[in-house]
Amino acid sequence: MPKKVLLIEDEGRLRRLLQLVLEDAGYDVKTASEGNKGIALWQAWKPDVVITDLKMQPVDGIDVLRHGNRLYPETPCIILTAFGTVTTAVNAMKQGAYDFLTKPVDHSHLIEVVQQALIERDKSQKTEHNMIGTSPEMEKVRSEIRILASTDSAVLIQGESGTGKELAARAIHAASTRSSGPFIRINCASIPRELLESELFGHKKGAFTGASKDRAGVFTRAHGGVLFLDEIGDMPLELQPKLLHAVEEKEIRPIGGGKPHAVSIKILSATNQDLEVMVKEKRFRTDLFYRLNTMILELPPLRRRRGDIKVLAEYFITRFAREFGRQEPEISKAALDMLSGYHWPGNVRELRNVMERAVLVCLEPKIKPHHLTESIQRKHKNEKMETRSSLDLVAKEQELLIAALEQCNWNQTKAAKKLNITRSALRYRLQKYGIVKSPP
Ligand SMILES: Nc1ncnc2c1ncn2[C@@H]1O[C@H](COP(=O)(O)OP(=O)(O)OP(=O)(O)O)[C@@H](O)[C@H]1O
Ligand SMILES: [Mg+2]
């Protein structure tokens, strides 16, 4: 499929000329004569690249850029500018324009810039740094990411499974001064205990059976960049003192001796467990907890920012249609309503999987409810039958939980017994409803 270029230019002759130049180069081109029409086409047609003039009435190129960047941050936007307005163009670059071209436009340079923009876009799509979402909650996350990226302090990223913690970590790296340095991720939950220490700090040859040569750990490999300790809640207690030392002193001691050496790193960690509860239960060290959570980034679950569901669904449709080389289907209102009403326990990851499947199985121009996975359809049916009483049930459950805890002086073991459930079942419910003891 030819790549789609949207050209927004108010001057009719130039618009037609550039359209011909781009079509000659093999692009599928649509044009708009003004900002508002351009934005509408951007949304409806989903071009691969946008080229926009800067000075237009009533809506100018900067507005187009701002709008597009929020909805489709992965689409490169190239600015056309008259000679002498280069400062405005530089300003546009700061707002996220991909590049700018001064008029009169050199035709072969135009094609080069468009080609380059497409290559860069594919690269950035693969690395997936773009946090999509237009809800106030996501705007807040994005602005927090910018702030967190500007310091070297450690950041703890919290949020339910699939809310985008890893994506946020990569975005912090990309926005930081360390972006040209490495981004190294280690998943503390998936590495066997006995290997974890060596993975973190490295080892000297002969340090243990099987250590046939010196090996650098992730702390050393992340030097000059960012180290992302994923699933930090699974860090074994016995390794935590050594980790604390490395985090505090930025000094690494490989297993089996060798000189301690200094590293320059920014440390990010992530978890979907409640570390504070783990600290209380002595499953996580207090000192390490305070070290890692100097700054906190909280990623809200998808059901608390339902406004993002539509934008994300459309984003994934575009992405997967492109990936599968399919014509991009639209989403029907009925399917969208179903997505919007679902509670998304698996958050954005679940939505991504649902949309991937929908694009695969949908051979019509529109995605309909039957293209969505069964769990969503079923949930939808059940929810339709639910009445207020189910809401009351939740409220009643919360009341019961609190009453039992208060009677037992917030001793969870005793409260669980009273409620005739296991302690972990109680803990699960407390986490689910966010019930905590309020300060006296
Ligand atoms: N705001 C977003 N915009 C676009 N894609 C997103 C967004 N949030 C999450 N995703 C996508 O959803 C998937 C899950 O995200 P990610 O792996 O970062 O979640 P996580 O919080 O680390 O989950 P887990 O706790 O299960 O490890 C990824 O494919 C990611 O690219
Ligand atoms: Mg993750």
Side-chain angles (χ1 to χ4, degrees):
M1 263 196 300
K3 299 285 183 198
K4 301 191 278 190
V5 179
L6 169 62
L7 173 66
I8 312 168
E9 165 64 62
D10 56 355
E11 208 184 305
R13 270 185 51 199
L14 182 62
R15 189 170 65 237
R16 279 186 290 277
L17 175 65
L18 294 183
Q19 176 168 17
L20 284 179
V21 171
L22 287 160
E23 281 174 353
D24 271 354
Y27 295 109
D28 183 3
V29 184
K30 279 199 194 310
T31 63
S33 57
E34 167 282 319
N36 264 332
K37 289 181 188 152
I39 292 171
L41 253 179
W42 193 334
Q43 271 171 275
W45 190 48
K46 312 231 170 47
D48 299 291
V49 178
V50 176
I51 305 172
T52 178
D53 187 21
L54 211 46
K55 280 217 179 96
M56 290 178 297
Q57 290 290 342
V59 167
D60 69 6
I62 291 285
D63 289 327
V64 172
L65 176 67
R66 276 207 202 108
H67 191 88
N69 254 346
R70 259 212 340 241
L71 283 175
Y72 310 103
E74 76 288 359
T75 311
C77 183
I78 300 164
I79 300 285
L80 295 180
T81 164
F83 180 74
T85 55
V86 174
T87 30
T88 343
V90 171
N91 190 19
M93 296 291 289
K94 283 196 192 134
Q95 308 253 1
Y98 172 74
D99 204 348
F100 67 90
L101 297 166
T102 39
K103 293 180 190 172
V105 179
D106 179 293
H107 297 175
S108 55
H109 185 50
L110 168 71
I111 300 301
E112 259 169 42
V113 171
V114 170
Q115 276 170 350
Q116 198 54 38
L118 283 165
I119 294 172
E120 301 267 330
R121 187 208 56 176
D122 289 346
K123 259 200 236 156
S124 86
Q125 269 194 342
K126 284 204 183 82
T127 44
E128 291 192 345
H129 292 154
N130 303 321
M131 300 215 70
I132 306 295
T134 49
S135 62
E137 287 84 355
M138 266 324 278
E139 294 286 357
K140 185 162 162 260
V141 165
R142 263 195 293 269
S143 81
E144 283 173 349
I145 284 178
R146 276 194 292 276
I147 296 167
L148 296 170
S150 66
T151 80
D152 257 349
S153 311
V155 180
L156 176 66
I157 307 171
Q158 286 178 322
E160 289 178 13
S161 179
T163 45
K165 296 184 291 296
E166 184 174 346
L167 192 64
R170 290 182 189 278
I172 292 176
H173 171 249
S176 75
T177 51
R178 296 173 172 271
S179 61
S180 56
F183 175 90
I184 305 282
R185 167 180 180 259
I186 179 170
N187 183 342
C188 307
S190 69
I191 296 172
R193 235 159 226 249
E194 56 282 12
L195 295 183
L196 192 54
E197 184 176 358
S198 151
E199 274 302 311
L200 286 166
F201 310 111
H203 61 245
K204 297 297 284 178
K205 179 177 169 181
F208 48 85
T209 338
S212 55
K213 47 183 176 212
D214 287 5
R215 184 159 193 272
V218 286
F219 270 90
T220 310
R221 297 205 325 263
H223 179 61
V226 169
L227 174 60
F228 177 41
L229 304 167
D230 206 355
E231 314 290 355
I232 188 74
D234 287 278
M235 178 65 65
L237 256 178
E238 67 268 21
L239 272 183
Q240 293 185 12
K242 193 164 176 180
L243 178 62
L244 176 69
H245 176 86
V247 173
E248 274 186 333
E249 307 297 333
K250 306 266 166 79
E251 187 194 72
I252 307 311
R253 293 160 201 254
I255 310 176
K259 266 204 225 119
H261 56 271
V263 288
S264 159
I265 45 176
K266 177 177 172 76
I267 294 180
L268 308 178
S269 44
T271 179
N272 51 26
Q273 308 191 51
D274 189 337
L275 286 189
E276 242 173 310
V277 170
M278 292 183 71
V279 166
K280 275 192 200 124
E281 293 174 351
K282 305 232 169 346
R283 289 184 291 139
F284 203 89
R285 285 182 70 106
T286 319
D287 44 12
L288 181 59
F289 172 64
Y290 285 115
R291 255 297 145 189
L292 295 176
N293 87 344
T294 336
M295 309 246 194
I296 292 188
L297 177 66
E298 187 75 47
L299 293 176
L302 191 53
R303 63 183 166 282
R304 274 213 262 120
R305 46 183 169 107
R306 292 195 183 269
D308 286 342
I309 293 174
K310 175 168 186 272
V311 193
L312 277 163
E314 286 174 346
Y315 165 76
F316 288 126
I317 293 174
T318 308
R319 208 175 99 188
F320 289 115
R322 231 173 237 163
E323 212 172 297
F324 305 147
R326 286 276 181 82
Q327 197 67 38
E328 194 179 314
E330 270 181 57
I331 182 153
S332 67
K333 178 152 185 323
L336 192 61
D337 285 349
M338 209 169 256
L339 295 178
S340 303
Y342 183 58
H343 63 298
W344 300 109
N347 293 294
V348 186
R349 179 181 295 109
E350 188 180 7
L351 176 60
R352 187 199 63 184
N353 294 344
V354 168
M355 295 325 291
E356 179 175 7
R357 179 178 176 276
V359 172
L360 252 181
V361 299
C362 172
L363 302 170
E364 311 157 35
K366 271 200 181 177
I367 293 178
K368 309 228 173 86
H370 69 270
H371 296 123
L372 305 176
T373 44
E374 262 189 23
S375 58
I376 292 177
Q377 297 178 42
R378 205 173 329 119
K379 173 78 193 160
H380 190 70
K381 272 195 207 123
N382 291 345
E383 266 176 2
K384 266 195 182 157
M385 292 187 306
E386 273 176 10
T387 56
R388 251 206 74 75
S389 68
S390 66
L391 294 174
D392 291 341
L393 183 64
V394 171
K396 279 274 172 309
E397 189 182 356
Q398 295 183 4
E399 261 171 45
L400 263 179
L401 289 166
I402 293 170
L405 279 159
E406 278 180 345
Q407 283 171 27
C408 304
N409 216 1
W410 288 81
N411 179 317
Q412 293 190 1
T413 314
K414 286 186 188 158
K417 249 199 204 128
K418 210 174 190 65
L419 291 161
N420 208 9
I421 55 178
T422 63
R423 189 154 159 257
S424 65
L426 172 65
R427 213 182 300 132
Y428 165 77
R429 286 179 165 73
L430 298 183
Q431 267 196 17
K432 182 166 107 182
Y433 298 131
I435 297 177
V436 284
K437 185 180 177 182
S438 49

